[in-house]
Every structure is written in structure tokens, then in C-alpha cells.
Amino acid sequence: MRVDVFTQVPHAFAWLTEQKPLATVLGGELELRLLNYRDTTPLRGGQVDDDPYGGGSGMVLRVDVVDAALESAYGDARPGRIVALTPQGRQLDQQLVEELSAEREVALLSSRFEGFDDRIVSRLCTDAVSIGPYVLSGGELPAMVLLDAIARRLPGALAEGSGEHESFSAELDGGLEYPHFTRPAAYRGWEVPEILLSGDHGKIDRWRREQSRLRSVG
Ligand SMILES: C[S@@+](CC[C@H](N)C(=O)[O-])C[C@H]1O[C@@H](n2cnc3c(N)ncnc32)[C@H](O)[C@@H]1O
């Protein structure tokens, strides 16, 4: 699939692109483009935002600037999913991650300062997505959150089997994952559940499913 991130700060993504699993799928299952609104703005001096109508503080990302960025990237063939990252959007969950990772092309639009001219969200985007009910300073971290979550779902991103029993997976009926333990088996009197040391994989599997169910209640 291809993900295009529209941003004023493309260099912010350098760290993420070097990390697994994104680094594993980049150039293979995932093509990533980082597109700077400033490179295609029709305004002089690289301007991308403006004062809000009606007054008030902060700058607002302009609709003509974003439309020009989309036009330059796609012409008439815009992606099926154009996602505005905004605290006012649908809250991100695993179901939405699965949905987006099944697309062939996704565009992620980030903003800064006061946010988007509302016509960007209502006229140019198909989705508005929030990564949680709090306000960050820009859409770059939300775009990275979504990118990482999408990359994990692409073929070959994870070691075989490691993505199957994760929290929110169908394998665990959408619930939370069971607890994990590693060596030492006892530390300061805190013991690992004995069943995990038993070597009985049938019992361990049943115990894990029960633990997952208990953690997921409520
Ligand atoms: C300071 S915020 C703007 C907040 C906006 N004035 C409001 O009150 O809803 C600047 C940008 O950061 C991004 N952003 C901030 N918090 C976010 C969140 N929880 N989820 C997704 N994007 C977020 C969005 O791209 C947003 O336009």
C-alpha cells in the first residue's frame, strides 16, 4: 500500500522510518511519501496558513493550499481515504487501523497551530481521525501513531505469529492480551504463575485465554 503524509515538518518522520516494523516494510509492502504543503503552495513565500476569520489567536491551514497539495500529488485520481488528523475526529481504534491497512492508498493530512480551515475536513477529506481526547501541537505525532499501527498489519512486518494474539485481535475476540512473564521465575518473592512453567501447552493456552477474558471484562 502507499501512505502519503502531508505535513509542514517532513523531517520529523526520520526517526520513525528507521524503526521496525516500519523500516521492515518500507520500500516493499509500504511506500511512504512525505509531502510538504510548502512545496506546492500557490501563495508567495511558502505561505500555508492565515489568520482566522472572525478574529482570535493562532493561524489556520488554508483550504486552497491543501487542495493544491492534493492536486499536485494526485491530479484527478485522489485516494479513497483522505484522513484529516484532528482532535475532533473519530477516535482511532484497532478496527479503524485494520480498515485503513486494507486500503491501497491512504493520505494523512496533518496541521499545526489552530488547525484546519473546516472546508479541508468537510470538502477535501473522507475521514477525520483523532488519536485520543487531548490536544497535541501538531498532526505529525498522530500521523506517526497511525503509520506505525498500519505498518504492523502489513505482511512481513512482524516475526511470524507475533501479531496474531495481540490485544484487540480477532484471536482474542477483540479483548486484551494475557500477561507475559520471563526469567527470573521468582524475584523478591514475586512468583511467575506455576502453570507457565508446567510445559503443558494445552493448559497454558486455556489459562491464557481465561486471563485475556478476565482482563477484558469491564
Ligand atoms: C493545536 S492542534 C489544533 C486544535 C484545535 N484548535 C482544536 O481545538 O480542536 C493542531 C493540530 O494538531 C493535530 N492534533 C492535535 N491533537 C490531535 C489529536 N488528539 N488527534 C489527531 N490530531 C491532533 C491536528 O492536526 C491539529 O489540527
Side-chain angles (χ1 to χ4, degrees):
M1 74 177 294
R2 194 182 70 221
V3 179
D4 296 329
V5 181
F6 293 80
T7 170
Q8 294 167 65
V9 211
H11 62 265
F13 293 79
W15 172 82
L16 183 71
T17 56
E18 290 167 2
Q19 308 305 311
K20 287 182 181 175
L22 204 88
T24 310
V25 289
L26 259 189
E29 290 291 334
L30 179 68
E31 186 189 342
L32 173 66
R33 296 195 299 179
L34 300 169
L35 302 162
N36 193 335
Y37 298 117
R38 292 189 199 287
D39 293 340
T40 50
T41 178
L43 308 173
R44 271 184 296 169
Q47 184 187 350
V48 297
D49 46 19
D50 224 319
D51 301 319
Y53 279 127
S57 62
M59 300 294 274
V60 176
L61 186 61
R62 285 177 55 137
V63 64
D64 50 351
V65 167
V66 173
D67 202 23
L70 294 171
E71 189 59 34
S72 161
Y74 310 116
D76 287 338
R78 298 194 176 186
R81 303 296 284 265
I82 302 182
V83 178
L85 295 159
T86 162
Q88 302 176 24
R90 164 183 173 187
Q91 203 150 308
L92 183 62
D93 58 15
Q94 193 63 30
Q95 193 191 326
L96 181 53
V97 169
E98 304 291 335
E99 220 178 285
L100 292 173
S101 57
E103 294 284 335
R104 215 168 47 80
E105 286 180 355
V106 173
L108 303 179
L109 271 52
S110 61
S111 186
R112 303 214 119 235
F113 311 114
E114 264 325 298
F116 297 102
D117 179 307
D118 210 63
R119 291 166 292 184
I120 296 169
V121 183
S122 64
R123 304 283 180 177
L124 298 180
C125 293
T126 59
D127 299 73
V129 171
S130 163
I131 63 161
Y134 44 81
V135 179
L136 299 168
S137 305
E140 287 71 29
L141 288 171
M144 287 191 233
V145 166
L146 199 38
L147 263 174
D148 184 80
I150 288 173
R152 296 177 65 75
R153 302 311 303 153
L154 298 181
L158 303 176
E160 186 135 23
S162 70
E164 281 165 23
H165 287 83
E166 281 189 325
S167 295
F168 318 117
S169 64
E171 275 293 324
L172 296 177
D173 301 322
L176 301 179
E177 199 186 36
Y178 43 80
H180 291 289
F181 299 89
T182 186
R183 293 179 187 85
Y187 179 70
R188 294 172 63 179
W190 307 328
E191 311 261 338
V192 166
E194 220 172 297
I195 194 160
L196 295 177
L197 310 176
S198 70
D200 184 332
H201 292 292
K203 275 191 186 164
I204 292 173
D205 190 49
R206 284 192 292 282
W207 180 85
R208 285 179 164 167
R209 285 186 181 279
E210 179 57 14
Q211 292 295 313
S212 167
R213 264 193 298 278
L214 290 172
R215 289 194 156 187
S216 308
V217 173

